[in-house]
């Protein structure tokens, strides 16, 4: 059974590992190519886009893909929408692996916004030390708020995304625990956290740390995604794939 996994997340990596060594599944992992050194995983890997929904549908047909798994980041809304369209056009069943969003807990001081652009004014006019973890590609929006001092953490180098601003850059890949996040925030004098509601456990430590330190959090809500079959865990995705394989074989 040929499977295409749209990946780049912990859940995608987990599913690939669960499928490794299974001769009954032929897996291709697709990555967007935004990370120069992605984690090495035991699957055939392709890098780059498909050319929109039409290109993805053509790939599914041309490569005899029997099942499509969208295990991309919760904020990768374009590819998720393309996957839903391509699935219908190619007649290939689609499953989304979507981690639940973080929920506000007692002690959390959240300012929820709908986009990274909306997060910029939510930081306020008074200069503050901002811990910024929104991803490298959307950092440029914060150039509109040069009064703040930024502690920026990304996987890839920041480059010239925030020219002329007071920026301390950290290159690191999660997971990050709550204790180490609290120590980091204390050491750098962080006064506010600006992040996306990515869900999952790998980067939740910063949310727990902000709560423990009594810091406000400007947090971007997850975008609305297409309504498709979905699960939250890699093991549930494996069960779905096994069920579809059994159906295809007439078991």
């Amino acid at each position: 059974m040929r499977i295409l996994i749209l990946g780049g997340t912990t859940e995608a990596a987990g599913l690939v590992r669960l499928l490794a060594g299974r001769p009954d599944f032929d897996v291709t992992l697709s990555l967007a190519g935004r990370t120069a050194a992605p984690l090495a995983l035991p699957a055939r890997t392709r890098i780059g886009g498909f050319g929109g929904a039409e290109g993805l549908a053509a790939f599914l047909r041309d490569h005899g893909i029997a099942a499509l798994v969208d295990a991309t980041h919760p904020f990768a809304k374009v590819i998720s929408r393309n996957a839903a369209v391509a699935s219908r056009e190619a007649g290939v069943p689609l499953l989304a692996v979507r981690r639940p969003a973080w929920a506000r807990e007692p002690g959390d001081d959240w300012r929820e916004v709908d986009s990274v652009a909306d997060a910029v004014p939510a930081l306020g006019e008074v200069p503050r030390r901002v811990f910024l973890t929104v991803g490298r590609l959307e950092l440029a929006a914060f150039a509109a708020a040069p009064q703040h001092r930024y502690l920026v953490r990304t996987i890839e180098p920041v480059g010239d995304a925030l020219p002329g601003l007071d920026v301390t850059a950290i290159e690191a890949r999660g997971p990050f625990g709550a204790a180490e996040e609290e120590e980091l925030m204390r050491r750098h004098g962080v006064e506010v956290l600006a992040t996306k509601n990515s869900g999952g456990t790998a980067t939740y430590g910063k949310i727990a740390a902000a709560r423990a330190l009594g810091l406000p959090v400007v947090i971007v809500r997850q975008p609305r995604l297409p309504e498709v079959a979905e699960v939250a865990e890699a093991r549930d995705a494996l069960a779905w794939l096994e069920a579809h394989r059994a159906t295809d074989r007439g078991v």
Side-chain angles (χ1 to χ4, degrees):
M1 181 179 180
R2 292 183 178 175
I3 304 163
L4 176 63
I5 300 174
L6 307 176
T9 61
T10 301
E11 292 78 13
L15 180 57
V16 168
R17 293 186 182 105
L18 288 173
L19 291 166
R22 293 279 300 262
D24 47 343
F25 291 105
D26 182 355
V27 180
T28 297
L29 173 65
S30 177
L31 301 175
R34 293 175 179 172
T35 301
L39 293 174
L41 292 168
R44 179 189 310 110
T45 303
R46 68 176 301 280
I47 305 293
F50 292 91
E54 183 177 340
L56 178 54
F59 183 94
L60 297 176
R61 289 189 294 261
D62 294 347
H63 291 79
I65 301 298
L68 174 62
V69 178
D70 175 12
T72 56
H73 193 275
F75 284 83
K77 57 185 179 182
V78 173
I79 187 60
S80 291
R81 290 169 183 166
N82 288 345
V85 173
S87 168
R88 291 194 298 269
E89 290 186 358
V92 174
L94 166 66
L95 177 73
V97 184
R98 294 176 181 166
R99 62 182 80 149
W102 297 321
R104 189 195 301 258
E105 295 189 6
D108 284 332
D109 181 8
W110 286 8
R111 281 80 160 159
E112 294 185 88
V113 296
D114 290 324
S115 68
V116 170
D118 291 337
V120 179
L123 293 174
E125 293 297 326
V126 177
R128 292 195 284 183
R129 181 63 154 164
V130 181
F131 185 20
L132 192 54
T133 64
V134 297
R136 177 177 56 87
L137 296 180
E138 296 194 81
L139 289 176
F142 292 87
Q147 71 273 26
H148 302 301
R149 295 178 298 121
Y150 295 98
L151 173 65
V152 180
R153 185 171 64 202
T154 55
I155 296 176
E156 298 290 317
V158 171
D160 60 354
L162 295 171
L165 273 65
D166 187 337
V167 175
T168 299
I170 300 173
E171 293 174 33
R173 189 194 301 267
F176 306 103
E180 64 179 306
E181 294 287 69
E182 185 173 341
E183 192 278 332
L184 177 71
M185 292 184 193
R186 287 185 185 277
R187 176 157 40 92
H188 288 275
V190 170
E191 297 172 279
V192 58
L193 169 65
T195 192
K196 294 177 177 178
N197 192 331
S198 298
T201 60
T203 61
Y204 184 73
K206 61 192 171 188
I207 301 297
R211 182 190 309 126
L213 294 170
L215 299 180
V217 179
V218 176
I219 188 165
V220 183
R221 298 182 183 92
Q222 290 190 7
R224 187 185 182 96
L225 298 176
E227 294 184 6
V228 301
E230 65 176 270
V231 296
E233 304 286 344
R235 290 193 178 278
D236 295 328
L238 175 60
W240 182 87
L241 289 168
E242 289 175 332
H244 273 272
R245 179 177 172 276
T247 300
D248 288 345
R249 296 177 62 195
V251 177

